Amino acid sequence: MKNNGQSPFPKQESRNTSRPITTEACGDQIRRGIRWLCIMSLSIAVIGCISAQVGSAESLTLHDAEVIHTTQTMRSVYDEIVARHAESLDVMVSLNEIPAPPFGERSRALRLAQLLESLDLDEVELDAVGNVVARREGQSGARTVAVIAHIDTVFPAQTNVTVKRDGSMFHAPGIGDNARGLALMVDIAAALQKSALTTDADVLFIGSVGEEGLGDLRGVRALFGEDGPDIDSAIVIDGGILNHVVTSAVGSNRYRVTFRGKGGHSYGSFGRAHPHQALASAIYHFTDGARAITETPGPKATYSVGRIGGGTSINSIPFESWMEVDMRSVDPKRLALLDAALRKAIQQALTEENHRALDDSVVSVDIESVGRRPAGEMAAEMPLVQRAIASLKTIGVQAKLVASSTDANLPMSLGIPAVTISRGGISRDAHALTERWEDVGTDSAASAAALLVIAEAGLVVDRL
């Protein structure tokens, strides 16, 4: 592993010349040599997957994921996932017990890189912002599919992240979100390597930084930025409910608002413009204005004053008072309305407090943007979404398309095909010190996730 963005492994020049079972597999070899066998053995499903184009706007009415699911190659992948079950749990625990607070993910990232490097992937590196990026080369490499699980947690560095196990239940802050997601990503990479299957597209296994809290998606911003790898589609592992497939990105605007004043003694300086009182007034006016927006029929929109602080003692007028505000919606227009309501409330509170002052003192205000997640949406007919639905169907689960805020926000906002899928098992109390994860149905969820990755990357086989 190298940390300078350069691969420690040489690129493989030779390419397997067999063809992929995917919607790109329209070549002469399939049409000439196996047309009859395609029709007889896989019937119209293969014709459907061959005739559509990956990345096109056409709806896939017959899913290549369902076709690939029946192959012997996929059976070997499923068998490897089952065989890895105990090891997967060990990986989850070991990663969770390495603290990964906001902006402090490096130690866990290095361990993740070691795990991926042990699988003999083609490249493993840490990029400039701390993402772990491991490449598994495909036959043509004409496309690149990213599998992304975030490394960081919401918990500060001093949090006790030791895992306690009680049968199938694992207790620890961050155990589900997202130590389990990282372990699942490693499972998929290991199963692909062990089965020695070939995909047509390159697959990147990525541990991202900055997904939680004030990280502001800095990991995926780098990945999809000017200097990042060319990524054609993204599968994010960060969901807690198995049948949920995130296809709508909940956008968010986050601000730290600080009122400042002269301060002074609560008795001797009584009557000075008061930052806390201005802050309280701003919260009141914002709540009143925001409710009128969120209660109007339309896409869901939310607001929350998540943190407040300031002041030096009970008998002092504070010199500053601050709050952190989070606003969310899948609809950029409603999000903009909430943003405007906040700014209006702040200015109204500032004017009122300065008018109330009994002397010539004033408070000022600073509005700092501390996070902005873009909104976006994937059409249900997109091939990646259809593959996600079909992959869950193979384990008897009916997918539900939902909205959430994850690393997938960034590619969705750019029009790059992206979904967020479940990490498997049952997650409870995410973002709480009482967080826990239950090992239920884990292998089935992992098998569906692996199938989605392989279907999106295109399975290459020598014969059907």
Side-chain angles (χ1 to χ4, degrees), residues 84 87 90-92 94-95 108-121 124 182-183 186 189-190:
R84 281 184 55 84
E87 184 176 356
D90 289 342
V91 166
M92 175 184 70
S94 67
L95 287 172
R108 184 180 290 187
L110 290 172
R111 177 56 183 152
L112 176 63
Q114 289 175 346
L115 290 168
L116 292 171
E117 196 169 43
S118 71
L119 301 178
D120 196 28
L121 294 162
V124 181
L182 292 171
V186 173

Side-chain angles (χ1 to χ4, degrees), residues 249-288:
V250 178
S252 64
N253 291 357
R254 295 171 175 174
Y255 293 100
R256 184 182 177 98
V257 180
T258 306
F259 289 92
R260 294 185 174 90
K262 189 175 181 179
H265 195 281
S266 62
Y267 186 82
S269 301
F270 178 73
R272 283 183 181 169
H274 201 297
H276 277 355
Q277 291 168 185
L279 183 77
S281 181
I283 293 174
Y284 171 80
H285 290 307
F286 174 54
T287 301
D288 192 48

Side-chain angles (χ1 to χ4, degrees), residues 272-342:
R272 283 183 181 169
H274 201 297
H276 277 355
Q277 291 168 185
L279 183 77
S281 181
I283 293 174
Y284 171 80
H285 290 307
F286 174 54
T287 301
D288 192 48
R291 284 185 61 188
I293 298 167
T294 59
E295 293 177 1
T296 301
K300 183 177 180 179
T302 65
Y303 59 91
S304 174
V305 178
R307 296 205 306 157
I308 59 175
T312 54
S313 69
I314 193 172
N315 59 335
S316 299
I317 298 171
F319 59 86
E320 76 170 20
S321 184
W322 58 265
M323 65 176 172
E324 289 177 348
V325 185
D326 173 274
M327 300 169 286
R328 302 188 181 209
S329 182
V330 296
D331 183 355
K333 293 181 180 179
R334 289 170 76 84
L335 191 56
L337 289 173
L338 286 173
D339 198 289
L342 175 65

Side-chain angles (χ1 to χ4, degrees), residues 377-453:
E377 189 168 10
M378 298 288 102
E381 296 79 15
M382 293 188 69
L384 175 58
V385 176
Q386 288 293 303
R387 290 174 183 136
I389 294 170
S391 297
L392 286 173
K393 184 179 177 182
T394 64
I395 60 170
V397 174
Q398 183 175 352
K400 181 179 180 181
L401 306 185
V402 299
S404 187
S405 180
T406 69
D407 272 336
N409 280 47
L410 208 288
M412 284 184 186
S413 72
L414 297 173
I416 297 171
V419 295
T420 297
I421 62 172
S422 170
R423 60 185 78 97
I426 300 175
S427 295
R428 297 182 174 90
D429 285 358
H431 292 197
L433 294 175
T434 55
E435 184 173 356
R436 56 204 186 276
W437 177 84
E438 189 172 4
D439 180 18
V440 174
T442 307
D443 293 340
S444 293
S447 296
L451 175 58
L452 173 58
V453 172

